[in-house]
Amino acid sequence: MDLNRLKFDEKGLIPAIVQDAATSQVLMMAYMNRESLEKTLETGTTWFFSRSRQELWNKGATSGNVQQVVSMDMDCDEDTLLVRVLPAGPSCHTGEISCFYRGLDGEHLSSPRQDMLHALYQIVVDRKN
Amino acid sequence: MDLNRLKFDEKGLIPAIVQDAATSQVLMMAYMNRESLEKTLETGTTWFFSRSRQELWNKGATSGNVQQVVSMDMDCDEDTLLVRVLPAGPSCHTGEISCFYRGLDGEHLSSPRQDMLHALYQIVVDRKN
Protein backbone atom coordinates (compact mmCIF):
# COMPACT_ATOMS: atom_id res chain seq x y z
CA MET A 1 0.00 0.00 0.00
CA ASP A 2 1.44 3.34 -1.06
CA LEU A 3 0.40 5.96 1.46
CA ASN A 4 2.55 8.59 -0.27
CA ARG A 5 -0.24 9.50 -2.64
CA LEU A 6 -2.34 10.72 0.30
CA LYS A 7 -2.27 14.46 0.91
CA PHE A 8 -1.77 15.27 4.57
CA ASP A 9 -2.35 18.94 5.43
CA GLU A 10 0.29 21.40 6.68
CA LYS A 11 -0.06 19.89 10.17
CA GLY A 12 0.46 16.37 8.79
CA LEU A 13 -3.21 15.44 9.24
CA ILE A 14 -5.92 14.00 7.01
CA PRO A 15 -9.63 14.04 7.97
CA ALA A 16 -11.24 10.62 8.35
CA ILE A 17 -15.01 10.23 8.16
CA VAL A 18 -16.12 7.18 10.16
CA GLN A 19 -19.24 5.39 8.94
CA ASP A 20 -21.01 2.34 10.37
CA ALA A 21 -20.57 -0.38 7.73
CA ALA A 22 -23.80 -2.12 8.74
CA THR A 23 -26.24 0.80 9.09
CA SER A 24 -24.35 3.39 6.95
CA GLN A 25 -24.82 5.93 9.74
CA VAL A 26 -22.04 8.54 9.84
CA LEU A 27 -20.59 8.16 13.33
CA MET A 28 -17.86 10.80 13.68
CA MET A 29 -15.04 12.64 12.02
CA ALA A 30 -11.52 12.67 13.36
CA TYR A 31 -8.01 13.27 12.06
CA MET A 32 -5.25 10.81 11.29
CA ASN A 33 -1.57 11.49 10.89
CA ARG A 34 0.64 9.05 9.03
CA GLU A 35 1.45 7.08 12.18
CA SER A 36 -2.17 6.67 13.27
CA LEU A 37 -3.09 5.61 9.74
CA GLU A 38 -0.36 2.97 9.81
CA LYS A 39 -1.51 1.76 13.24
CA THR A 40 -5.09 1.56 11.94
CA LEU A 41 -3.96 -0.60 9.03
CA GLU A 42 -1.76 -2.75 11.31
CA THR A 43 -4.30 -3.36 14.07
CA GLY A 44 -7.59 -3.29 12.13
CA THR A 45 -9.06 -0.83 14.63
CA THR A 46 -9.20 2.95 14.33
CA TRP A 47 -6.37 5.17 15.57
CA PHE A 48 -6.52 8.94 15.35
CA PHE A 49 -4.38 11.93 16.22
CA SER A 50 -5.89 14.15 18.89
CA ARG A 51 -5.37 17.79 17.93
CA SER A 52 -6.11 19.01 21.45
CA ARG A 53 -3.89 16.49 23.26
CA GLN A 54 -1.37 16.20 20.42
CA GLU A 55 -1.13 12.45 20.76
CA LEU A 56 -2.20 9.20 19.14
CA TRP A 57 -5.48 7.84 20.30
CA ASN A 58 -6.90 4.34 19.83
CA LYS A 59 -10.66 4.82 19.65
CA GLY A 60 -12.33 2.74 22.38
CA ALA A 61 -9.12 1.84 24.22
CA THR A 62 -10.63 3.27 27.42
CA SER A 63 -14.39 2.82 26.85
CA GLY A 64 -14.17 -0.55 25.12
CA ASN A 65 -16.07 0.87 22.18
CA VAL A 66 -13.46 -0.01 19.58
CA GLN A 67 -14.18 0.31 15.90
CA GLN A 68 -13.28 -2.70 13.74
CA VAL A 69 -12.22 -1.46 10.31
CA VAL A 70 -14.11 -2.95 7.36
CA SER A 71 -12.79 -0.72 4.57
CA MET A 72 -10.77 2.44 4.01
CA ASP A 73 -11.26 4.54 0.93
CA MET A 74 -9.90 7.89 -0.24
CA ASP A 75 -11.64 10.64 -2.15
CA CYS A 76 -10.85 11.96 -5.63
CA ASP A 77 -8.49 14.63 -4.21
CA GLU A 78 -6.75 12.06 -2.01
CA ASP A 79 -7.09 14.40 0.98
CA THR A 80 -10.01 12.80 2.86
CA LEU A 81 -10.57 9.25 4.09
CA LEU A 82 -13.79 7.29 4.49
CA VAL A 83 -13.41 4.55 7.09
CA ARG A 84 -16.21 2.03 7.32
CA VAL A 85 -16.30 0.24 10.69
CA LEU A 86 -18.21 -2.15 12.89
CA PRO A 87 -18.36 -0.36 16.25
CA ALA A 88 -18.47 -2.29 19.54
CA GLY A 89 -20.62 0.46 21.08
CA PRO A 90 -21.44 4.17 20.88
CA SER A 91 -18.88 6.22 18.97
CA CYS A 92 -19.47 9.53 20.72
CA HIS A 93 -17.85 10.33 24.09
CA THR A 94 -21.31 11.57 25.21
CA GLY A 95 -22.70 8.04 24.90
CA GLU A 96 -24.59 8.80 21.70
CA ILE A 97 -24.28 6.28 18.85
CA SER A 98 -23.09 9.05 16.53
CA CYS A 99 -21.44 12.40 17.25
CA PHE A 100 -24.03 13.96 14.90
CA TYR A 101 -26.99 13.92 17.26
CA ARG A 102 -28.02 17.59 17.08
CA GLY A 103 -29.42 19.78 14.34
CA LEU A 104 -27.89 23.18 13.62
CA ASP A 105 -30.41 24.71 16.03
CA GLY A 106 -28.84 22.67 18.83
CA GLU A 107 -31.95 20.52 19.24
CA HIS A 108 -31.33 16.87 19.99
CA LEU A 109 -32.59 14.74 17.09
CA SER A 110 -35.68 12.87 18.17
CA SER A 111 -34.79 9.89 16.01
CA PRO A 112 -31.67 8.95 14.09
CA ARG A 113 -31.50 10.23 10.54
CA GLN A 114 -31.79 6.72 9.18
CA ASP A 115 -35.50 6.86 8.52
CA MET A 116 -35.25 5.26 5.10
CA LEU A 117 -33.33 2.26 6.39
CA HIS A 118 -35.66 1.71 9.30
CA ALA A 119 -38.64 2.03 6.97
CA LEU A 120 -37.07 -0.54 4.67
CA TYR A 121 -36.38 -2.86 7.60
CA GLN A 122 -40.02 -2.61 8.64
CA ILE A 123 -41.07 -3.64 5.13
CA VAL A 124 -38.73 -6.65 5.31
CA VAL A 125 -40.24 -7.72 8.64
CA ASP A 126 -43.80 -7.12 7.41
CA ARG A 127 -43.26 -9.12 4.26
CA LYS A 128 -41.88 -12.07 6.17
CA ASN A 129 -45.32 -12.92 7.56
CA MET B 1 -30.74 29.65 14.08
CA ASP B 2 -27.64 30.59 16.05
CA LEU B 3 -24.60 29.84 13.92
CA ASN B 4 -22.31 31.42 16.50
CA ARG B 5 -22.00 28.15 18.38
CA LEU B 6 -20.29 26.58 15.38
CA LYS B 7 -16.49 26.46 15.52
CA PHE B 8 -14.94 27.59 12.29
CA ASP B 9 -11.20 26.93 12.04
CA GLU B 10 -8.45 29.56 11.85
CA LYS B 11 -9.23 29.99 8.14
CA GLY B 12 -12.93 30.51 8.88
CA LEU B 13 -13.88 27.09 7.53
CA ILE B 14 -15.84 24.11 8.83
CA PRO B 15 -15.73 20.67 7.16
CA ALA B 16 -19.07 19.42 5.81
CA ILE B 17 -19.62 15.72 5.15
CA VAL B 18 -22.23 15.26 2.42
CA GLN B 19 -24.34 12.11 2.59
CA ASP B 20 -27.09 10.88 0.28
CA ALA B 21 -30.28 11.01 2.37
CA ALA B 22 -31.89 8.17 0.43
CA THR B 23 -29.04 5.64 0.13
CA SER B 24 -26.89 6.87 3.07
CA GLN B 25 -23.84 6.77 0.79
CA VAL B 26 -21.18 9.30 1.78
CA LEU B 27 -20.78 11.44 -1.34
CA MET B 28 -18.04 13.96 -0.63
CA MET B 29 -16.47 16.25 1.91
CA ALA B 30 -16.04 19.97 1.33
CA TYR B 31 -15.60 23.10 3.41
CA MET B 32 -18.06 25.84 4.24
CA ASN B 33 -17.35 29.31 5.52
CA ARG B 34 -20.03 31.29 7.28
CA GLU B 35 -21.29 32.86 4.05
CA SER B 36 -21.60 29.55 2.18
CA LEU B 37 -23.39 28.04 5.17
CA GLU B 38 -25.87 30.93 5.15
CA LYS B 39 -26.40 30.57 1.40
CA THR B 40 -26.98 26.83 1.88
CA LEU B 41 -29.65 27.54 4.48
CA GLU B 42 -31.21 30.27 2.32
CA THR B 43 -31.34 28.37 -0.96
CA GLY B 44 -31.76 24.78 0.24
CA THR B 45 -28.90 23.64 -1.99
CA THR B 46 -25.27 23.15 -1.00
CA TRP B 47 -22.75 26.00 -1.18
CA PHE B 48 -19.11 25.52 -0.26
CA PHE B 49 -15.93 27.56 -0.09
CA SER B 50 -13.27 26.42 -2.52
CA ARG B 51 -9.88 26.46 -0.80
CA SER B 52 -8.01 26.32 -4.11
CA ARG B 53 -10.01 29.04 -5.86
CA GLN B 54 -10.78 30.98 -2.67
CA GLU B 55 -14.38 31.57 -3.69
CA LEU B 56 -17.92 30.46 -2.97
CA TRP B 57 -19.15 27.58 -5.02
CA ASN B 58 -22.72 26.36 -5.53
CA LYS B 59 -22.42 22.61 -6.04
CA GLY B 60 -23.96 21.64 -9.39
CA ALA B 61 -24.35 25.22 -10.70
CA THR B 62 -22.35 24.23 -13.79
CA SER B 63 -23.04 20.50 -14.09
CA GLY B 64 -26.67 20.65 -13.04
CA ASN B 65 -25.97 18.10 -10.33
CA VAL B 66 -27.26 20.21 -7.48
CA GLN B 67 -27.73 18.77 -4.01
CA GLN B 68 -31.07 19.47 -2.35
CA VAL B 69 -30.51 19.76 1.40
CA VAL B 70 -32.64 17.44 3.56
CA SER B 71 -30.98 18.06 6.93
CA MET B 72 -27.93 19.67 8.49
CA ASP B 73 -26.51 18.43 11.76
CA MET B 74 -23.44 19.30 13.80
CA ASP B 75 -21.20 17.01 15.81
CA CYS B 76 -20.58 17.01 19.57
CA ASP B 77 -17.60 19.38 19.20
CA GLU B 78 -19.60 21.71 16.94
CA ASP B 79 -16.72 21.77 14.47
CA THR B 80 -18.00 19.41 11.76
CA LEU B 81 -21.24 19.35 9.77
CA LEU B 82 -23.19 16.43 8.36
CA VAL B 83 -25.32 17.51 5.41
CA ARG B 84 -27.87 15.01 4.10
CA VAL B 85 -28.92 15.71 0.52
CA LEU B 86 -30.87 14.45 -2.43
CA PRO B 87 -28.44 14.81 -5.34
CA ALA B 88 -29.68 15.48 -8.88
CA GLY B 89 -26.74 13.48 -10.28
CA PRO B 90 -23.18 12.35 -9.55
CA SER B 91 -21.48 14.34 -6.79
CA CYS B 92 -17.89 13.83 -7.95
CA HIS B 93 -16.37 16.00 -10.69
CA THR B 94 -15.07 12.75 -12.25
CA GLY B 95 -18.64 11.61 -12.91
CA GLU B 96 -18.59 9.07 -10.07
CA ILE B 97 -21.61 9.01 -7.76
CA SER B 98 -19.35 9.52 -4.75
CA CYS B 99 -15.86 11.02 -4.46
CA PHE B 100 -14.91 7.94 -2.43
CA TYR B 101 -14.57 5.50 -5.31
CA ARG B 102 -11.06 4.17 -4.64
CA GLY B 103 -9.52 2.10 -1.90
CA LEU B 104 -6.29 3.20 -0.23
CA ASP B 105 -4.39 1.08 -2.75
CA GLY B 106 -5.75 3.32 -5.53
CA GLU B 107 -7.87 0.52 -6.97
CA HIS B 108 -11.27 1.55 -8.27
CA LEU B 109 -13.99 -0.08 -6.14
CA SER B 110 -15.71 -2.76 -8.19
CA SER B 111 -19.03 -2.07 -6.49
CA PRO B 112 -20.24 0.68 -4.20
CA ARG B 113 -19.68 0.11 -0.49
CA GLN B 114 -23.39 -0.22 0.06
CA ASP B 115 -23.41 -3.99 -0.05
CA MET B 116 -25.59 -4.32 3.03
CA LEU B 117 -28.29 -2.08 1.61
CA HIS B 118 -28.33 -3.86 -1.72
CA ALA B 119 -28.46 -7.21 0.07
CA LEU B 120 -31.37 -5.96 2.15
CA TYR B 121 -33.14 -4.70 -0.97
CA GLN B 122 -32.75 -8.14 -2.56
CA ILE B 123 -34.37 -9.73 0.52
CA VAL B 124 -37.30 -7.28 0.22
CA VAL B 125 -37.79 -8.20 -3.42
CA ASP B 126 -37.45 -11.93 -2.72
CA ARG B 127 -39.92 -11.84 0.14
CA LYS B 128 -42.50 -10.08 -1.99
CA ASN B 129 -43.11 -13.22 -4.04
Side-chain angles (χ1 to χ4, degrees):
Chain A
M1 181 131 352
D2 177 18
L3 299 182
N4 289 323
R5 64 191 310 156
L6 288 177
K7 293 181 192 118
F8 295 89
D9 70 11
E10 63 279 8
K11 291 174 186 151
L13 302 177
I14 189 166
I17 303 164
V18 182
Q19 183 181 31
D20 189 307
T23 67
S24 293
Q25 188 173 11
V26 174
L27 300 173
M28 56 185 280
M29 198 181 81
Y31 294 83
M32 291 186 176
N33 62 4
R34 198 187 171 89
E35 192 184 353
S36 66
L37 179 53
E38 284 167 351
K39 280 183 105 64
T40 299
L41 292 168
E42 254 169 58
T43 63
T45 66
T46 51
W47 286 77
F48 302 103
F49 183 78
S50 166
R51 294 174 302 167
S52 52
R53 287 176 284 125
Q54 292 283 309
E55 61 180 23
L56 287 195
W57 160 58
N58 182 204
K59 172 73 193 161
T62 310
S63 66
N65 298 329
V66 292
Q67 299 170 330
Q68 207 88 41
V69 175
V70 174
S71 63
M72 293 189 75
D73 302 320
M74 59 183 178
D75 74 346
C76 52
D77 296 335
E78 305 174 345
D79 63 1
T80 308
L81 301 176
L82 175 60
V83 186
R84 289 169 66 255
V85 303
L86 294 175
S91 289
C92 188
H93 73 285
T94 61
E96 302 277 343
I97 298 289
S98 161
C99 293
F100 298 94
Y101 59 88
R102 285 174 303 168
L104 277 194
D105 54 6
E107 287 288 307
H108 198 289
L109 303 179
S110 55
S111 62
R113 302 273 198 201
Q114 300 290 323
D115 319 357
M116 186 274 309
L117 191 60
H118 286 123
L120 187 58
Y121 177 73
Q122 204 46 58
I123 294 172
V124 179
V125 171
D126 289 351
R127 285 194 180 167
K128 192 174 183 185
N129 305 311
Chain B
M1 180 131 351
D2 177 17
L3 300 181
N4 288 325
R5 64 192 310 156
L6 288 177
K7 293 183 193 116
F8 295 89
D9 70 11
E10 64 279 7
K11 291 174 187 153
L13 301 177
I14 189 166
I17 302 166
V18 182
Q19 183 182 30
D20 189 307
T23 66
S24 293
Q25 187 172 11
V26 174
L27 299 173
M28 55 185 280
M29 197 182 81
Y31 294 82
M32 291 185 176
N33 62 4
R34 198 184 171 90
E35 191 184 354
S36 66
L37 179 52
E38 285 168 351
K39 280 183 104 65
T40 299
L41 292 168
E42 255 169 57
T43 63
T45 66
T46 52
W47 286 76
F48 302 103
F49 184 78
S50 166
R51 295 175 300 169
S52 52
R53 288 176 285 126
Q54 291 283 307
E55 61 180 22
L56 287 196
W57 158 59
N58 181 204
K59 172 73 193 163
T62 311
S63 66
N65 298 328
V66 292
Q67 298 170 331
Q68 207 88 40
V69 175
V70 173
S71 63
M72 291 189 76
D73 302 320
M74 60 184 177
D75 73 347
C76 51
D77 296 335
E78 306 174 344
D79 64 1
T80 308
L81 302 176
L82 175 60
V83 186
R84 290 169 67 255
V85 303
L86 294 176
S91 290
C92 187
H93 73 285
T94 61
E96 302 278 342
I97 298 289
S98 161
C99 293
F100 297 94
Y101 59 87
R102 286 174 303 168
L104 276 195
D105 53 6
E107 287 288 307
H108 197 290
L109 303 181
S110 54
S111 63
R113 302 274 198 200
Q114 299 291 321
D115 318 358
M116 186 276 309
L117 191 60
H118 286 123
L120 187 58
Y121 177 74
Q122 203 48 58
I123 295 172
V124 179
V125 171
D126 289 351
R127 286 195 180 167
K128 192 175 183 184
N129 306 311

